[in-house]
Amino acid sequence: MKFSLEIKTPCSENFDKMIPNSNGSFCNSCAKNVIDLSTKTNSEVARFIAENKNKSICARLKNSQLEEEFEINEISKSNNFKYAVAVAASVLLTSNVIGQEKEPVRTELGCVKSNPHVVGKIAYQEGKLVSFILSGKVLEKSTKKPLSNKKYPELTIFVSGSNVSVKVDPKTGAYSIPLLLDKKTSELFVTINSSDSSYSKSMKIDLSKIRNNSLILNLSIDSETEMERYQIMGGLGVNYIDNKKMKNS
C-alpha cells in the first residue's frame, strides 16, 4: 500500500517550547503529543504510519517528506498480530539496520573457552556488533567555520545506530555521539537539526578506521542550500494511493 503525507492546517506553536516525552513532545495548547517525524528515515516513517493506522496524529515534518511516496506491504497472519509490516522507502534515504545474530553455543570436552569480547583495533565487539564514539565537527562548507548560532540555534546531530541526539558545540562545531552498529555497516544516515531547520544525508563510513574506541567524521554543509526549513507542524493527513484510496487525518 502506497501513501503520501500532508498537513492541511499548519500549527503556529513553537515545537522547541513543548515538553519532550517518550512519545514526542507535549503541546499544552491542544493537549496532544506532537510526533517528530522530521528526523526519521522513509522506512521508519512508513513503519510508524502502519503501526498507528487510523489514529489521529499531530506531527512535525520536513518539506521534502510532503513530496515523497512511501510504501507498506501488508502480509496477513493467522496469529494475534493484525499484520506484519515490510517497508520499502521510495527514495535513497535509508538507514542501516542494527542486527545481531546469535550463534549456537558449542561445547568441546576438555577445552574451556571464554572470549566474550574481542580486543583489537575495534574497541568492542560481541557477535556482529561494534560499539564506539563517533566524533567530529559540523562546519560551513564555504568558510570552514561552525554554522551561525544566530541563524541555526540549538544545533543537534542524530546518527543511525544511536538512540539519542546530541548537541553540536556552537563555538567549535564539535560533536560526540555513541554508536552501536553492525560491523559490516558501510553507510550512516545523519540528521542535523536546529530549531526550525534540518539537514539529512546518507554518508559512507569505514569501521576499520576505528582507533581507541573512536572514529572521526567531519561534516561540511552548505547551509544556504542544504539546511531545509521544517514544514509547520499540525494534524497529519495520510493519503493512500493504491487501489483503496483512503484518508486518515
Side-chain angles (χ1 to χ4, degrees), residues 138-140 143-149 168-174:
V138 178
L139 301 176
E140 182 68 53
T143 64
K144 306 302 180 184
K145 295 180 179 180
L147 274 63
S148 168
N149 187 48
V168 176
D169 190 316
K171 294 181 179 180
T172 64

Side-chain angles (χ1 to χ4, degrees), residues 16 25 57 86 137 139 142 145-146 165 200 206 215 225:
D16 295 307
S25 291
I57 300 169
K137 291 185 177 181
L139 301 176
S142 59
K145 295 180 179 180
S165 295
S200 297
D206 185 356
L215 183 64
T225 61

Side-chain angles (χ1 to χ4, degrees), residues 17-160:
K17 292 184 178 180
M18 297 180 185
I19 304 170
N21 57 47
S22 59
N23 296 316
S25 291
F26 186 78
C27 176
N28 286 321
S29 296
C30 59
K32 291 182 65 176
N33 269 332
V34 179
I35 308 301
D36 189 359
L37 297 179
S38 66
T39 62
K40 304 292 185 183
T41 65
N42 281 43
S43 59
E44 289 170 336
V45 170
R47 189 179 302 112
F48 173 83
I49 296 299
E51 293 172 350
N52 294 273
K53 198 173 183 181
N54 299 321
K55 292 182 181 179
S56 177
I57 300 169
C58 190
R60 187 192 198 200
L61 299 173
K62 292 184 296 187
N63 285 322
S64 61
Q65 288 173 305
L66 299 178
E67 302 171 357
E68 293 170 9
E69 186 176 284
F70 305 83
E71 184 174 352
I72 304 170
N73 296 321
E74 296 182 351
I75 305 172
S76 299
K77 295 284 186 178
S78 58
N79 57 18
N80 292 332
F81 293 98
K82 185 177 180 181
Y83 50 80
V85 181
V87 181
S90 61
V91 296
L92 298 178
L93 291 178
T94 58
S95 61
N96 289 290
V97 178
I98 299 174
Q100 181 176 12
E101 299 177 4
K102 295 184 177 180
E103 297 182 356
V105 177
R106 298 179 181 178
T107 303
E108 297 182 14
L109 294 177
C111 180
V112 178
K113 295 183 179 181
S114 178
N115 187 25
H117 303 290
V118 177
V119 178
K121 294 181 180 180
I122 296 178
Y124 170 91
Q125 187 173 328
E126 182 174 353
K128 297 289 185 177
L129 300 182
V130 55
S131 174
F132 63 99
I133 302 297
L134 184 73
S135 59
K137 291 185 177 181
V138 178
L139 301 176
E140 182 68 53
K141 184 178 291 184
S142 59
T143 64
K144 306 302 180 184
K145 295 180 179 180
L147 274 63
S148 168
N149 187 48
K150 183 177 180 179
K151 190 172 183 180
Y152 302 105
E154 301 175 11
L155 208 63
T156 62
I157 183 169
F158 176 82
V159 182
S160 55

